[in-house]
Amino acid sequence: MVPQKQGESAIVSLGANETEPDEQRGEERVDQSMSSFKSFLWHGGSVYDAWFSCASNQVAQVLLTLPYSFSQLGMLSGVLFQVFYGLMGSWTAYLISVLYVEYRTRKERENFSFKNHVIQWFEVLDGLLGPYWKAVGLAFNCTFLLFGSVIQLIACASNIYYINDKLDKRTWTYIFGACCATTVFIPSFHNYRIWSFLGLGMTTYTAWYLTIASFVHGQVEGVTHSGPTKLVLYFTGATNILYTFGGHAVTVEIMHAMWKPQKFKYIYLFATFYVFTLTIPSASAVYWAFGDQLLNHSNAFSLLPRNRFRDAAVILMLIHQFITFGFACTPLYFVWEKVVGVHDTKSMCLRALVRLPVVIPIWFLAIIFPFFGPINSAVGALLVSFTVYIIPALAHMLTYRTASARRNAAEKPPFFLPSWTAMYMVNAFIVVWVFVVGFGFGGWASMTNFIKQVDTFGLFAKCYQCKPPTPVHH
């Protein structure tokens, strides 16, 4: 009897020992699956993530102001400027990616580690061209991103007003400023995977809503398409389109978030091709339907009748503008972290606390200047022209000005333009064109228009371009 009991106890003991590892393995599998799911949503660094980030970041509230630009430019010029500046922007994004790879290659040869450090554009300029270029790059980039964030905040208040006009736009700016401040908790561009995907889906819906709704609505009675009529309006519209395809002030940060940054080279170009399918049809359709009425309505939502489809588009754009606010602010957060000295810390709560002061001036500026259509043009002429077009082209020419630099370049000229001389000529053309047309004529026109808005509506305008509520169409 004793041996039998011993055998039974041995079997029980063996069963317990067998089931315990099974339970542990089951728990480990659950933990692994949860970790994999979290990584799928949260940790993005692939080519596709970079494409979604670039495409999503290009088209936000600009979708709503491009019809306004078409009314200033006319249909033909509007389409041509989109294609021209889209290709030019893709080229300078390519130059930025080449300079990033060059800088990182040189630093890694010196055994420099970027494990807890995010490379930014001004650091690339510093490493390749020296401290003066670093100062210029830092000033233009930070100012551009600051006003880019301001524009998103203004656009949030402008859009929500078309759903709920019980509160004025300034009050909505207070509310959305507090909401957008929560972006301080998003660590880096690694963590925008799901947001970029959703953001692009939202703008795709909005663009095709604008297109279809305009055709369903039809042309308003007595519609006129007189643009272009004035040089001021013409160059204001052109610089707004310059701004549209100048969304790569965050290119370096997006590249650094990639697992293989060398694969970025043509991503922005492919993103631009997709953006064309959204911006050209929507802007053309709205301008066709409403014509010169858009000259006094910089937000396309203000002219379309209210229904559930428009309300859905407004809500989706609000969410996307929150995402784009985070895109524009994150590089500013990084700069401020480096200034304060907490960029390398692993405590996200500490970093979030340090980041909060960055949001306050953005909030304040959005309340002072609540007209985002004219601001788009002013930012495009005075900031985007240098940050996105002139500085990258000049930096590329100076970095590879010597034969030894060209010979030892980490990235050779592209297959479609294999000559260094040809690259130099293209870059020189971009510098001259953008300086004369974008900064010169565009700066004059956009500031003239901007000052007119300030004189007309005043600073701290309570409700810019507001009108009586549109009747509901069932």
Side-chain angles (χ1 to χ4, degrees):
M1 294 296 293
V2 175
Q4 186 178 356
K5 288 182 179 180
Q6 287 177 345
E8 289 173 355
S9 63
I11 292 170
V12 171
S13 174
L14 181 62
N17 290 335
E18 283 179 345
T19 56
E20 191 172 326
D22 286 342
E23 290 174 359
Q24 289 176 352
R25 282 194 292 269
E27 290 174 0
E28 287 174 3
R29 280 195 293 270
V30 170
D31 290 341
Q32 287 175 357
S33 63
M34 288 297 293
S35 177
S36 299
F37 182 70
K38 182 181 177 182
S39 296
F40 173 74
L41 294 178
W42 190 245
H43 297 293
S46 69
V47 170
Y48 302 103
D49 290 309
W51 183 86
F52 276 112
S53 293
C54 289
S56 178
N57 192 42
Q58 266 194 59
V59 283
Q61 97 296 333
V62 179
L63 269 179
L64 310 177
T65 61
L66 281 174
Y68 168 66
S69 298
F70 270 47
S71 69
Q72 297 167 322
L73 289 164
M75 187 78 77
L76 179 61
S77 292
V79 173
L80 290 178
F81 269 116
Q82 280 205 44
V83 175
F84 177 65
Y85 282 132
L87 295 177
M88 187 184 288
S90 300
W91 174 254
T92 53
Y94 168 78
L95 297 180
I96 292 172
S97 71
V98 167
L99 293 172
Y100 168 88
V101 171
E102 182 69 36
Y103 168 76
R104 184 159 183 170
T105 301
R106 292 183 187 183
K107 297 298 285 186
E108 286 176 346
R109 285 173 187 161
E110 300 169 5
N111 296 321
F112 194 89
S113 174
F114 296 104
K115 185 176 181 182
N116 294 318
H117 183 91
V118 176
I119 300 173
Q120 293 188 268
W121 177 229
F122 67 90
E123 293 170 320
V124 173
L125 292 173
D126 183 30
L128 297 177
L129 297 172
Y132 292 110
W133 278 85
K134 173 186 176 181
V136 170
L138 185 62
F140 274 105
N141 216 43
C142 287
T143 310
F144 167 43
L145 291 170
L146 177 75
F147 278 97
S149 304
V150 169
I151 289 167
Q152 299 307 322
L153 201 49
I154 297 169
C156 283
S158 177
N159 290 343
I160 191 64
Y161 182 79
Y162 298 117
I163 289 182
N164 186 337
D165 54 10
K166 292 179 181 178
L167 299 177
D168 58 74
K169 291 182 182 179
R170 189 169 64 192
T171 304
W172 281 119
T173 304
Y174 294 140
I175 295 168
F176 278 99
C179 295
C180 289
T182 58
T183 57
V184 298
F185 292 101
I186 302 176
S188 73
F189 283 98
H190 267 302
N191 313 113
Y192 273 98
R193 165 176 277 187
I194 189 64
W195 294 114
S196 298
F197 175 78
L198 292 175
L200 190 58
M202 293 167 187
T203 49
T204 300
Y205 171 87
T206 304
W208 286 107
Y209 158 73
L210 291 174
T211 305
I212 296 168
S214 297
F215 285 124
V216 170
H217 180 279
Q219 290 185 311
V220 294
E221 186 177 352
V223 65
T224 55
H225 301 87
S226 56
T229 56
K230 298 178 181 178
L231 280 177
V232 171
L233 295 178
Y234 188 82
F235 285 108
T236 301
T239 49
N240 186 38
I241 295 178
L242 181 84
Y243 171 83
T244 302
F245 295 97
H248 43 286
V250 295
T251 297
V252 171
E253 288 82 1
I254 291 173
M255 283 188 71
H256 191 81
M258 292 178 68
W259 299 315
K260 296 180 180 179
Q262 295 84 354
K263 292 187 175 182
F264 182 87
K265 289 183 288 187
Y266 304 117
I267 287 175
Y268 196 90
L269 178 63
F270 295 140
T272 300
F273 286 153
Y274 181 77
V275 168
F276 283 155
T277 68
L278 305 181
T279 57
I280 294 176
S282 61
S284 302
V286 177
Y287 178 54
W288 170 84
F290 297 100
D292 291 347
Q293 285 189 20
L294 287 159
L295 290 169
N296 298 315
H297 296 83
S298 57
N299 190 325
F301 281 146
S302 64
L303 291 173
L304 289 164
R306 182 177 177 182
N307 53 42
R308 61 181 181 275
F309 298 108
R310 196 195 75 164
D311 287 356
V314 171
I315 292 168
L316 292 177
M317 282 303 291
L318 284 171
I319 299 170
H320 185 258
Q321 280 155 352
F322 167 82
I323 298 167
T324 310
F325 181 93
F327 265 108
C329 257
T330 299
L332 294 175
Y333 295 152
F334 292 155
V335 172
W336 184 242
E337 287 172 2
K338 292 170 184 177
V339 170
V340 177
V342 300
H343 184 61
D344 296 335
T345 186
K346 293 183 179 179
S347 172
M348 197 55 235
C349 291
L350 176 60
R351 290 174 67 188
L353 187 64
V354 168
R355 289 173 171 189
L356 273 176
V358 176
V359 181
I360 295 171
I362 295 170
W363 206 349
F364 188 63
L365 287 168
I367 295 166
I368 297 176
F369 306 111
F371 16 87
F372 73 91
I375 286 181
N376 278 0
S377 300
V379 169
L382 305 180
L383 299 172
V384 175
S385 56
F386 284 94
T387 303
V388 171
Y389 298 97
I390 294 175
I391 292 176
L394 280 175
H396 190 273
M397 288 193 289
L398 292 174
T399 299
Y400 298 107
R401 64 188 180 277
T402 64
S404 60
R406 293 192 294 271
R407 187 169 54 252
N408 298 317
E411 292 284 342
K412 301 302 179 184
F415 70 92
F416 57 87
L417 201 67
S419 167
W420 286 101
T421 304
M423 289 192 73
Y424 187 93
M425 292 174 65
V426 171
N427 291 341
F429 168 78
I430 290 173
V431 171
V432 173
W433 175 276
V434 174
F435 185 79
V436 174
V437 178
F439 175 70
F441 288 107
W444 160 73
S446 59
M447 288 310 298
T448 302
N449 189 35
F450 185 79
I451 292 168
K452 179 184 175 183
Q453 301 299 323
V454 173
D455 291 340
T456 304
F457 294 94
L459 301 177
F460 299 97
K462 192 172 184 179
C463 211
Y464 172 71
Q465 284 188 349
C466 294
K467 65 175 186 178
T470 307
V472 178
H473 287 232
H474 295 288

